[in-house]
Amino acid sequence: MTQVRTRFAPSPTGFMHLGGVRTALYAYLFAKKNGGKFILRIEDTDQERFVPGATEVIYDTLRDCGILWDEGPDIGGDFGPYIQSERKSLYLPYAQQLVEKGAAYYCFCTKEELDERRAAAEARGEVFKYDKHCLSLSKEEVQAKLDAGVPYVIRMNAPTEGSTSYHDLVFGDMTFPNADTMDDMVLIKQDGMPTYNFANVIDDHLMGITHVMRGTEYLSSTPRYNFLYNAFGWEIPQYIHLTTVMRDAQHKLSKRDGDAYYSDFINKGFLKEALVNYLALVGWNPGTDQEFFTMDELIQAFDVRHLNKSPGIFDVTKLEWMNGQYVQKMDFEDYLKMAAPWFDKVLAGKGTDYRRLAELMQSRTDIFSRIPEKIAFLAEMPDYDPAIFFNKKQKSDETVAREVLPQLLPVLESVPEWTEAAIHDAVMAKIPAWGKKNGQVLWPMRIAISGQESTPGGAFEIAYLLGREETLRRLRASIAKLG
Ligand code: GLU
């Protein structure tokens, strides 16, 4: 049996779209599941769409996700080069072979001529398809133009009748009428570069790709590629078309909404492990109710028969939940390292004990970008409504606070060393003498120094994190506020 070889073939046009990451992931999982090879190929023949730096973004993103290629531009392999622009010179001879076989032909029509005929077709309400004008040139006429250096493209001589059928591993048997899906598409452009439509066939063949995984937008182009494979007499690969990753039933993920790119999510503080885990489940299911997967577990579980035919919905709320689950399970030191820059956004330079803060925050973190809003009260005392001193369960209200807070002030002022334990011991020692329940002191204390009902940690933790000076300052301000 031949070894399974899959590839991810992105065009370096910018950031990595989540749909692209998922395509790469599935191609990787499928190869690894079958003991095969996963190849990375950079498709940069469309130089106008090329964005500098985009290739590095592809490498970095895939590596970050743990989607590692066995052959590729930066690591080489037996079928290189793996960047299409570096393969430029090898495509023309293949196109010439097709010309010999009558499956392709030289076209010398100028842009102006084509524009004119396109405009005329549109005026007739027709969609312009190249009209095989140059197919009628004799061999001698073609040679004369080539000798004279007339610019040319090479076009596929597409069938105008009949239909093409193929089997897709997700969508089953597909049939397309040739007249609708084929045209005399350009194979080699004037600049000598192949088009995507040509290069993907040549490269998938030369690189021994056995299974082609790509988006459903290529379902209807596949007959053209099969025409080329057949013209060469090459074996056609297996096709696995993947549905689009959608935000909801109507909307695609969009750049504008900041939910299209891998980096959007990393910048918002999602964990790459959670993102990869969740992405795997958008459009595929393991056939069990398992939701959490390591990469190795995904490899074990992956089965193309469980790829969905309907678009995958990328549910951010679900991802946030899953991310939270990953955060809870994170090694504490890793959490601290990742959380620190988010702490810095509001607490930089304040000398807050980040380690203690991280202990309090880890269980309260779903995505890291929400940390600053959750700890903003540590940086600045929020203005609050004294009504929040009321708490039925804690038997606290404004009156209790007005009584307790002035008693608390000298106690805190005289705490010997500002540690959580010392603050705790000093306050707790006084409560019985004041004839109060713990909640009647601790609730008002927490409100008075945090300005909010819900905080990570209780009164002692917050007092400790704020430091003596700031705690006392806030307490005095709250006493004054209550009058
Ligand atoms: N370069 C194409 C793209 O980015 C690749 C499609 C394919 O996998 O063949 O859409």
Side-chain angles (χ1 to χ4, degrees):
M1 247 184 77
T2 45
Q3 186 184 49
V4 165
R5 289 173 61 84
T6 64
R7 87 302 193 274
F8 178 51
S11 303
T13 53
F15 293 113
M16 274 282 276
H17 195 279
L18 282 181
V21 176
R22 195 195 59 171
T23 301
L25 176 65
Y26 288 166
Y28 170 78
L29 295 176
F30 183 73
K32 296 296 132 180
K33 170 75 187 244
N34 292 289
K37 296 265 189 267
F38 171 63
I39 288 102
L40 176 62
R41 179 172 78 223
I42 300 295
E43 304 209 322
D44 62 344
T45 56
D46 192 348
Q47 299 284 330
E48 276 164 34
R49 290 174 63 220
F50 182 79
V51 175
T55 309
E56 286 65 34
V57 171
I58 293 167
Y59 298 160
D60 292 347
T61 306
L62 295 179
R63 286 216 168 92
D64 213 33
C65 293
I67 302 171
L68 307 176
W69 47 104
D70 299 295
E71 298 167 27
D74 55 338
I75 58 170
D78 294 342
F79 302 84
Y82 293 89
I83 297 189
Q84 281 182 334
S85 59
E86 291 174 15
R87 301 167 68 79
K88 181 176 174 184
S89 60
L90 70 79
Y91 300 102
L92 181 61
Y94 284 103
Q96 286 164 337
Q97 270 187 42
L98 292 180
V99 173
E100 292 297 309
K101 293 170 191 274
Y105 59 94
Y106 288 91
C107 169
F108 301 92
C109 292
T110 62
K111 186 176 174 305
E112 291 69 32
E113 288 165 344
L114 290 173
D115 285 348
E116 219 169 89
R117 269 139 62 201
R118 180 173 298 111
E122 277 163 14
R124 291 193 302 272
E126 292 167 11
V127 183
F128 180 69
K129 268 188 171 185
Y130 185 73
D131 49 10
K132 294 189 186 280
H133 181 267
C134 288
L135 184 60
S136 58
L137 294 174
S138 70
K139 235 180 158 165
E140 293 69 31
E141 283 171 311
V142 169
Q143 198 53 53
K145 284 182 189 288
L146 292 178
D147 291 344
V150 179
Y152 66 89
V153 300
I154 297 182
R155 291 182 180 276
M156 181 169 95
N157 184 12
T160 51
E161 292 171 347
S163 61
T164 301
S165 299
Y166 67 93
H167 185 77
D168 179 273
L169 291 181
V170 176
F171 290 89
D173 291 326
M174 309 293 296
T175 297
F176 292 92
N178 292 335
D180 295 348
T181 48
M182 297 231 221
D183 62 359
D184 288 8
M185 64 184 187
V186 172
L187 305 178
I188 299 285
K189 297 183 273 190
Q190 264 194 19
D191 63 3
M193 277 287 194
T195 54
Y196 162 76
N197 285 326
F198 190 48
N200 87 89
V201 170
I202 304 298
D203 287 345
D204 284 340
H205 172 73
L206 294 179
M207 294 182 180
I209 302 303
T210 57
H211 295 77
V212 169
M213 278 190 173
R214 61 184 158 213
T216 44
E217 64 271 30
Y218 293 98
L219 270 172
S220 62
S221 319
T222 297
R224 310 157 171 226
Y225 309 142
N226 289 356
F227 173 84
L228 295 173
Y229 282 105
N230 288 331
F232 282 116
W234 292 344
E235 193 181 335
I236 294 173
Q238 300 275 334
Y239 291 111
I240 300 170
H241 284 94
L242 305 170
T243 56
T244 311
V245 178
M246 305 283 286
R247 172 156 38 116
D248 53 42
Q250 277 86 39
H251 302 95
K252 290 190 180 183
L253 297 179
S254 84
K255 189 166 145 182
R256 213 190 44 211
D257 295 320
D259 61 7
Y261 298 131
Y262 176 77
S263 51
D264 290 333
F265 287 85
I266 295 303
N267 294 341
K268 280 185 219 161
F270 284 89
L271 298 175
K272 56 194 179 195
E273 294 82 2
L275 199 48
V276 170
N277 186 157
Y278 181 64
L279 260 184
L281 299 172
V282 178
W284 171 80
N285 68 79
T288 65
D289 49 20
Q290 184 176 349
E291 285 187 301
F292 291 89
F293 290 88
T294 62
M295 191 62 100
D296 283 341
E297 289 168 339
L298 283 175
I299 292 171
Q300 288 317 311
F302 194 75
D303 184 337
V304 281
R305 285 173 302 185
H306 288 143
L307 285 170
N308 300 342
K309 276 192 199 134
S310 47
I313 306 291
F314 187 88
D315 177 351
V316 180
T317 313
K318 180 84 197 272
L319 171 63
E320 286 173 3
W321 169 80
M322 184 170 261
N323 200 70
Q325 300 295 308
Y326 270 86
V327 174
Q328 308 322 310
K329 289 194 203 95
M330 263 175 113
D331 173 71
F332 175 72
E333 295 302 325
D334 292 340
Y335 174 81
L336 175 60
K337 213 152 92 211
M338 263 195 82
W342 296 98
F343 293 166
D344 271 341
K345 288 196 190 283
V346 286
L347 297 172
K350 291 206 182 284
T352 313
D353 180 346
Y354 278 6
R355 184 165 284 274
R356 185 66 183 119
L357 180 57
E359 283 168 8
L360 297 169
M361 285 302 295
Q362 183 164 4
S363 64
R364 291 175 172 80
T365 305
D366 50 4
I367 55 175
F368 284 80
S369 56
R370 297 218 172 105
I371 289 178
E373 75 190 57
K374 288 184 175 155
I375 61 169
F377 75 96
L378 290 173
E380 205 179 328
M381 178 70 181
D383 191 21
Y384 66 97
D385 179 350
I388 65 173
F389 281 113
F390 176 77
N391 183 313
K392 196 164 171 209
K393 200 167 141 235
Q394 308 295 348
K395 300 197 177 10
S396 158
D397 59 22
E398 242 182 280
T399 314
V400 173
R402 204 171 282 120
E403 185 188 339
V404 160
L405 297 179
Q407 290 177 296
L408 205 50
L409 183 62
V411 177
L412 291 175
E413 278 170 338
S414 58
V415 169
E417 200 194 339
W418 201 256
T419 63
E420 232 174 273
I423 302 165
H424 170 273
D425 293 350
V427 173
M428 294 307 276
K430 292 289 181 196
I431 297 180
W434 294 339
K436 290 281 177 289
K437 300 228 178 293
N438 289 352
Q440 291 181 298
V441 174
L442 303 185
W443 180 267
M445 174 174 165
R446 190 155 67 91
I447 300 288
I449 62 175
S450 72
Q452 54 192 44
E453 290 172 287
S454 150
T455 54
F460 304 130
E461 287 89 346
I462 290 162
Y464 165 68
L465 289 170
L466 287 172
R468 185 198 300 268
E469 220 179 298
E470 179 64 8
T471 302
L472 296 177
R473 194 187 66 75
R474 291 184 179 197
L475 186 55
R476 288 191 193 105
S478 282
I479 292 169
K481 182 183 174 98
L482 286 174

